[in-house]
Amino acid sequence: MAKEQKMEKIKKVKMPIVAKQATTNMNRTKRMKEKKKAAQGGCRKKSGPHLPSSFLKELGFQKHPPNTSEQEEGEEDDDNLYEYEEPLPEEEMKKNRRFDQVENYEYELPKGFEDEDVPSDEGEDVPIDEDEVENDSEKHVRMLQSITGLPAAAFKGMEKRNVALTDVQSDLGGKITVHDLLDPLHGKTGYSMLRKRLNQLEKAPMAVQSPLPKVEREKLERKVTYEQSKKEISKWDPLVKRNREAPSLYFAEDIDLGVSTVGAIAAEHEPRTEFEKKMAALVGNPDIMEAHMKDGGRLLELNKVSVEDVKLRHNRLAKMRNLLFRHEIRAKHIKKIKSKTYHRILKKERQKTASSEMNMNPEAAKEAAIRQEFKRAERGLKAQDEGTRAAIAEQLHQHALLKRKMNSINDNSSSDESTDEDSDKLSPGSDGEGVARLLNKAKEKTMKLMEEEEEMPKSGVFALPFMHRGLKKQREEAYEEAHRALEEYECSLKSLDGEEAECQSSPDKNKGRRIFTGPKSQLKVPSTKEPNCLSGSDSEGDFEEFREKEEHTSEIRPNFQVQSALLPSDAETGQEKIFKNFDDVVKNPGSKTTYEVAIFASDSWKKMGGENSTANDLKNTAEVHANNVIAKLDSVERADKSDSDSDIEMVDGLLTSEHVPSYKLPSQDVLIHRAFAGDDVEAEFEKDKMDALNEEIPEPEKPVLLPGWGQWTHVQKKKGIPSILLEEHEREKRKREDSLKTRKDANLKHVFISEKVDKKTEKLHAKNLPFPYTSKEVYEHSIRMPIGPDYNPVISIGALNRPAVIKRAGVIIEPIKYEEIDPYGNSEAKKKPTHSSQKPKNTNKAKLAGRKTNNKS
Amino acid sequence: MVVRRLYVGSGRNKTGGEQDAFDELDPKAKKYLRGDAANLGVIRDKKLKGQLLDKEKLYGQTAKAAAKAEKWLMPTEVGYLEAEGLEKTWRFKQETILQEVDIISSRKPFDMILPDLGPYKLEYSLGGRYMLVGGRKGHLALIDVLTMRLIKEFQVRETVRDVVFLHSEQFFAVAQKKYLYIYDRHGTEIHCLKEHGVPLKLQFLDKHFLLASVNKFSQLHYQDVSTGEIVGNYRTGLGRTDVMQMNPYNSVIGLGHSGGKVTMWKPTSSNPLVTMLCHHGPVTCVSFHNSGYLMATAGMDRKIKLWDLRKFEALRTYSCSAQSLDFSQNGLLAMSNGSRINIWRDSVGNHDYERYMAHSMVKGYQVGKVCFRPYEDVLGIGHSMGISSILVPGSGEPNFDTWVANPYETKKQRREKEVHSLLDKLQPETIMLDPLKVGTLMPPTKKDKPNKGDLEAEMEAAIETAKSTVFKKKTKGRNKPSKRARKKEEAVLKTKRPFIEQQAEDRPLKKPKVEEAELPKSLQRFVRKKKTL
């Protein structure tokens, strides 16, 4: 308060100064302003024209503005820089000297000034002023009086005392320093700071250099800020380095998953909408809460429903029920109406509405018409179909059956056995039986068809009399045809019967293919040959069999040996069986039954296929002539030499062979060549290698004479091939040699390594070096270690496969936080970068807890 | 005589000294490093270098951990025969060995005399538990050798040339007289594969699910047994052969031919990968070491040769003949000649094979096939009078990995494994000579390296296009002829630059030629001579 008063005093001191030279008008305005300032007092704010910050800074350095006029000193002392400064009055600016110069700016006390009691001396000095002031004051007092109702003297006295105070102050003489002003503030808060600042201001030199040019200043500023920020940022360096070097970063370290219970979520809920708020008010009603907390008795009390409410509800329900009942009754009534007229009318009405709709909408009409038409057509077709459909289905079925049969006969490339068996069935061995079966089947079919066709369609188009007649005619024709077919079948069956009698005597055993019919016979057959087996010194099974074969043949006839010796070893297996067959037949004619049957079986085939006198001979005569055997062997040989499927032919067509041209011995040269086929393997290999090399790296073509050029005059012949071509050829040749030399097998005489590029393996190679790598070796070494769990101990699998950033979905990545780390610390320490010390969730928990307690209370 | 640690399938722990554990660790760990680290000094990229260093460190730790685990996971060691004094290991009879071994092992050798149905082939399943026996005259039998129980026996009444197990003992393929058949363990015929022609020899590539066969017309067929698709069908064009063996390391098929050649095949190329002239006579058998780089061949020229498949050079040549060869899991080499069986071993590890064991069958028995049983110290022999098996200490791998093959597999495990192996099935194109090449950079093809003339032509064309570009008309000051000219020049230079740089890169740096001084005569004899066949 004291400070405020002082300020006021200063203003009062100044007031007359201004008043002295100013015109009355101006003076008034100024005074008003001064008063306002005074009213603001100590809580004067830094307000004023907005200045650029740089300018303000400049001002900060200067203690005094370069304004030497004494009259403003008082204000300067205040050190209120931001105060709005009134521009100099125009008379002071001495513009054109329009105003009279006033010499004395100093405030001089009037001579007659003696006591403060003197009511007003001002009037003496400035009479013009006084009047006005007087007037003003009087007016003011009057106004105050009217408002407050106090005597005017009370207000007047106050004013006077003020004036007196100022006068006392000014009476002390000399200048008032800032220190004087500050003294009473001693001991207040902020005093020391104020004083310090004042001291600084005093010490600072008065002279102020002119500010640097803007560019320079900005440059300096930038430099400073750069250095500052560099220092600031460089402290992060080790942190960033650590994070960069870390093999993987972790971002999900402390996640508290405990929050997401239903209760927790519900606890966090805050009512927002009107409804929610209402609900919350109800639920959170302390009465109810209390009731819940205590016991059910209070709850029951709260649960009471008023009688009115119940009544209302009851009424409402009754009304609804009544309405429903009425509706039901009405529906029943309408349904019960039997009157046709009523229904007709109803229907008509409906149609009317529909037709009106159609009229309105031509598309709907069209659609309806189409629907109608479709329905009609469908009805017609249904009636027609009944008869034909069955016939077509039957035909299709027949077709499918026949097709399957055909396929089963033709097919022999599929991998399942069943087809083979099928083909076996149809093979000549079992032919008679098969034919009979087929015939029987056909007969049955026709009978069935005939029976089926008795039925006549009784409705539809076919029911018409003329159609009926036509159908009957057709049917009769078909019937006749079927009869004819049946007769044919019967005929053929009868003819077959004779053969079948034979065949049926051994229906099971007529598969000629297998020789090892059972384990018994199997064991028996080789056991007889055991010594032979053992005597075979060579481990090759082929050879052994070969030997075995040979021996048997030799038993029969010695001159046969030549031919069997010349048999190619390829076909040994097929032959072997046959040999065995014959061997047994030859050796023990007593036990030949099975084989005889096998031969019998081929009888039917003979009938179909062609003639074979030798086979007949064999069948009829028990003894076997060596000649025969030879003939057969010849045939076998021929069969072997033919394709791979000759085996089949040979096995079940044992007796097929007609006369075959006998084997011709190759010439001596050929034989010798064959015998020494693998003599000079090395040279052969060399040749092969050269061929392969030529294939991989083709030899350049030799230059030839250019056609057409100087041919008539034989210029080319004389000059020879142009040197360019020759040179090129030479170059190509050299290139080829170079590439031959760089091959892996260049120095290996006995090895040829193919260097053909396999296109299929291209996808297994990397096309280019992956990004950070620059050398192939480094890349290939870096992928040498498998990283899967099958090849590494458990402890290192995680480390080997850890991703660069480990983060769970939804985790918020906090910005990096500063922390002190040793920049030269070893790499072990930097394993776990605390890049993100996630916000602990404890606060949340505390909050929840708090809430809970609140609820409880 | 001493039979050292003959672990025949029975897991017996070795409680070794702990103090030498760390000494052994390093060489073992090296194995798990799978080669050396790349030279990181070459890399300029700091980040990459850091990453690779980190990775290498991890690899080191991994290898160490693996080596440590090996100590506990692979406790049993390989057994062997040890001679005392003047004894020779190849003089030991089976009877004497039998007296030394434990009871379980002593039950393993047997002789089965089956005189009727011809020379027998045999084949063990991957786990070594099941044996498939195929008699020449159609006798097929599936035997559980662990319990010596006959699972199925039947006769196909046809010539049987070869038998082979498919991925499990559930199915096996049989090369019969005309076709190739697949049966299941109950003897039911599942498939008849007619496309293979008349197969002579079969092999199953278990990682690729491919059934390979070579037929009478010397055609090589590959059929995927999981999809049924014929993957490859190639004519070898080198004559009929029934010598075929798969290299277990890279699944390349080796074929031996009558011209003394051995060819190696993969399913995706119609030409052999490698053709080697191994013998002067027909090749009788081929066998591959488990490591993949060692091949043994035997020929009619009474030679047995060991080949290094990295250099394609003969390491050793022994003069004796063999009808069949087989490498065991631990690298023992069994060979049969007539009724005699020899087993060789390189005791030092430098592929200098020497006699280790010998066994002779009854005189007159012709041994057709020898086959080591996996994970057991047993050699199976198929001969003309049946099958037998003998003990060969140190032949099988003593520790089995149940993820690879499990001799004691249960039904559930087998099913699980079947699914897994199908999921892990490798595609046929992954078969190559060096399977480590998968994933590496594509080998440069000839087209990738354009020659100088092409490059020049390309440059010319580029320059032409640069010259002929029309510049936009710019505003007044910038449209001066001088400026336009300069702009054009710049464009041309810009297009030229990459070509010139490339040429500079291609041009080898001129190095002062180091003259190869002739060695003084006294030292010349130490110069390595080029090996000849």
Side-chain angles (χ1 to χ4, degrees), chain B residues 46-254:
Chain B
K46 271 186 191 169
K47 192 178 174 188
L48 178 67
K49 205 173 182 179
Q51 282 173 350
L52 287 181
L53 271 175
D54 267 1
K55 268 215 174 139
E56 283 304 329
K57 201 175 270 177
L58 252 179
Y59 290 160
Q61 285 168 3
T62 306
K64 251 182 207 168
K68 256 182 204 164
E70 187 184 86
K71 197 104 200 137
W72 303 106
L73 292 176
M74 294 162 64
T76 25
E77 279 186 354
V78 184
Y80 52 93
L81 282 177
E82 201 174 49
E84 285 170 345
L86 287 173
E87 286 176 334
K88 300 286 176 204
T89 50
W90 59 87
R91 298 256 163 75
F92 295 148
K93 295 257 185 259
Q94 283 291 310
E95 295 83 55
T96 47
I97 292 173
L98 270 181
Q99 283 164 10
E100 300 288 328
V101 299
D102 53 296
I103 296 173
I104 295 173
S105 307
S106 66
R107 280 179 193 155
K108 282 180 178 147
F110 62 84
D111 283 308
M112 231 179 255
I113 306 299
L114 307 158
D116 302 331
L117 297 173
Y120 278 88
K121 299 258 164 154
L122 62 98
E123 168 89 11
Y124 286 106
S125 66
L126 282 176
R129 175 161 182 177
Y130 299 93
M131 181 165 71
L132 188 61
V133 179
R136 176 87 191 174
K137 288 175 189 134
H139 181 204
L140 289 174
L142 180 60
I143 302 166
D144 181 352
V145 258
L146 200 71
T147 57
M148 285 311 283
R149 194 165 57 86
L150 186 66
I151 291 172
K152 182 68 191 176
E153 183 187 20
F154 61 104
Q155 289 166 6
V156 289
R157 303 171 193 175
E158 274 189 339
T159 314
V160 167
R161 296 205 182 83
D162 198 15
V163 287
V164 74
F165 273 115
L166 298 192
H167 57 279
S168 69
E169 79 283 355
Q170 295 290 303
F171 301 103
F172 54 89
V174 181
Q176 290 183 22
K177 186 188 153 204
K178 270 168 73 182
Y179 302 125
L180 174 58
Y181 290 88
I182 292 178
Y183 298 94
D184 73 351
R185 63 182 281 160
H186 307 296
T188 320
E189 182 190 317
I190 308 274
H191 294 292
C192 166
L193 311 176
K194 294 184 177 171
E195 289 91 342
H196 287 254
V198 182
L200 297 180
K201 178 83 179 161
L202 305 175
Q203 282 285 300
F204 184 68
L205 321 186
D206 54 318
K207 290 175 200 86
H208 308 263
F209 275 78
L210 291 178
L211 180 63
S213 75
V214 62
N215 71 7
K216 209 166 99 176
F217 310 107
S218 77
Q219 281 170 320
L220 183 63
H221 285 265
Y222 285 94
Q223 185 162 26
D224 191 328
V225 295
S226 62
T227 61
E229 185 192 3
I230 294 264
V231 175
N233 171 16
Y234 306 113
R235 279 183 60 241
T236 60
L238 293 168
R240 176 185 160 124
T241 178
D242 62 345
V243 180
M244 174 159 82
Q245 187 69 38
M246 180 190 72
N247 188 342
Y249 172 68
N250 51 15
S251 299
V252 165
I253 291 276

Side-chain angles (χ1 to χ4, degrees), chain B residues 426-461:
Chain B
L426 295 177
Q427 287 306 305
E429 51 266 20
T430 54
I431 297 177
M432 49 180 85
L433 269 184
D434 186 3
L436 294 180
K437 281 277 180 291
V438 173
T440 56
L441 204 63
M442 197 147 31
T445 50
K446 271 163 203 164
K447 273 188 185 170
D448 287 353
K449 267 191 184 171
N451 57 356
K452 208 177 168 186
D454 286 350
L455 266 180
E456 268 169 8
E458 209 175 315
M459 190 168 82
E460 289 289 313

Side-chain angles (χ1 to χ4, degrees), chain B residues 334-347:
Chain B
M335 60 192 74
S336 70
N337 182 20
S339 60
R340 238 190 120 63
I341 291 155
N342 279 310
I343 292 147
W344 291 359
R345 172 179 181 233
D346 60 334
S347 46

Side-chain angles (χ1 to χ4, degrees), chain A residues 562-574:
Chain A
V562 182
Q563 277 170 334
S564 67
L566 287 170
L567 285 177
S569 60
D570 293 15
E572 85 290 305
T573 46

Side-chain angles (χ1 to χ4, degrees), chain A residues 325-344 346-347 349-350:
Chain A
F325 177 68
R326 268 155 197 271
H327 184 77
E328 207 171 304
I329 292 274
R330 189 163 170 268
K332 260 182 196 168
H333 176 69
I334 286 171
K335 207 188 168 192
K336 247 182 195 171
I337 293 173
K338 283 181 180 167
S339 158
K340 280 184 179 172
T341 46
Y342 173 77
H343 279 295
R344 208 185 304 139
L346 207 69
K347 203 177 173 188
E349 226 161 68
R350 219 179 291 148

Side-chain angles (χ1 to χ4, degrees), chain A residues 245 247 412-417 419-420 513-514 516-519 522-523 526-527 530 533-534 536-542 544-545 548 569-570 572-574 576-577 580 644 647-648 651 678-679 681-682 685 688 695-697 735 747-748 750-754 756-758 760-769 771-787 790-793 795-796 799-800 827-828, chain B residues 32-40 42-43 45 47-48 51-52 54-59 62-63 65-66 115-119 136-137 155-159 161 177-178 181 189 191-195 198 216-217 238 240 259-261 266 268-269 271-277 279-281 300 307 311-314 323 364-368 384-385 424 429-433 437-446 451 530 533:
Chain A
E245 283 174 354
N412 58 353
S413 65
S414 74
S415 68
D416 51 352
E417 181 79 307
T419 56
D420 267 21
R513 189 176 167 198
R514 296 267 153 87
F516 297 109
T517 46
Q522 203 175 32
L523 282 174
S527 67
E530 196 183 328
C533 273
L534 290 176
S537 60
D538 206 316
S539 72
E540 278 187 24
D542 297 4
E544 187 181 313
E545 282 158 23
E548 172 188 315
S569 60
D570 293 15
E572 85 290 305
T573 46
E576 184 192 26
K577 284 175 186 173
K580 271 172 196 160
S644 61
D647 273 340
I648 303 168
V651 170
D679 191 31
V681 248
E682 265 181 67
F685 184 82
D688 285 353
E695 198 187 326
E696 277 196 12
I697 309 167
K735 213 164 122 191
N747 295 326
L748 299 166
H750 59 286
V751 179
F752 170 70
I753 302 167
S754 164
K756 262 188 188 165
V757 181
D758 189 2
K760 278 178 186 165
T761 57
E762 266 176 15
K763 61 186 170 189
L764 301 172
H765 293 289
K767 273 188 186 132
N768 319 91
L769 270 181
F771 158 60
Y773 295 97
T774 46
S775 100
K776 189 185 162 200
E777 282 69 40
V778 174
Y779 168 65
E780 280 172 6
H781 271 283
S782 75
I783 60 165
R784 73 180 197 279
M785 281 284 277
I787 53 174
D790 294 353
Y791 310 96
N792 288 301
I795 44 166
S796 55
L800 280 170
S827 60
E828 295 304 311
Chain B
Y32 289 105
L33 266 180
R34 295 175 169 86
D36 300 322
N39 180 19
L40 296 183
V42 198
I43 311 170
D45 188 351
K47 192 178 174 188
L48 178 67
Q51 282 173 350
L52 287 181
D54 267 1
K55 268 215 174 139
E56 283 304 329
K57 201 175 270 177
L58 252 179
Y59 290 160
T62 306
D116 302 331
L117 297 173
R136 176 87 191 174
K137 288 175 189 134
Q155 289 166 6
V156 289
R157 303 171 193 175
E158 274 189 339
T159 314
R161 296 205 182 83
K177 186 188 153 204
K178 270 168 73 182
Y181 290 88
E189 182 190 317
H191 294 292
C192 166
L193 311 176
K194 294 184 177 171
E195 289 91 342
V198 182
K216 209 166 99 176
F217 310 107
L238 293 168
R240 176 185 160 124
K261 282 182 200 167
K266 69 174 181 178
T268 53
S269 86
N271 291 58
L273 296 173
V274 180
T275 313
M276 301 167 72
L277 183 64
H279 294 276
H280 291 290
M300 291 285 225
W307 297 84
K311 295 195 282 181
F312 297 103
E313 277 173 359
Q323 268 85 51
Y365 286 16
Q366 292 297 311
V367 176
S384 55
M385 289 294 280
D424 295 341
E429 51 266 20
T430 54
I431 297 177
M432 49 180 85
L433 269 184
K437 281 277 180 291
V438 173
T440 56
L441 204 63
M442 197 147 31
T445 50
K446 271 163 203 164
N451 57 356
K530 260 174 202 167
L533 183 76

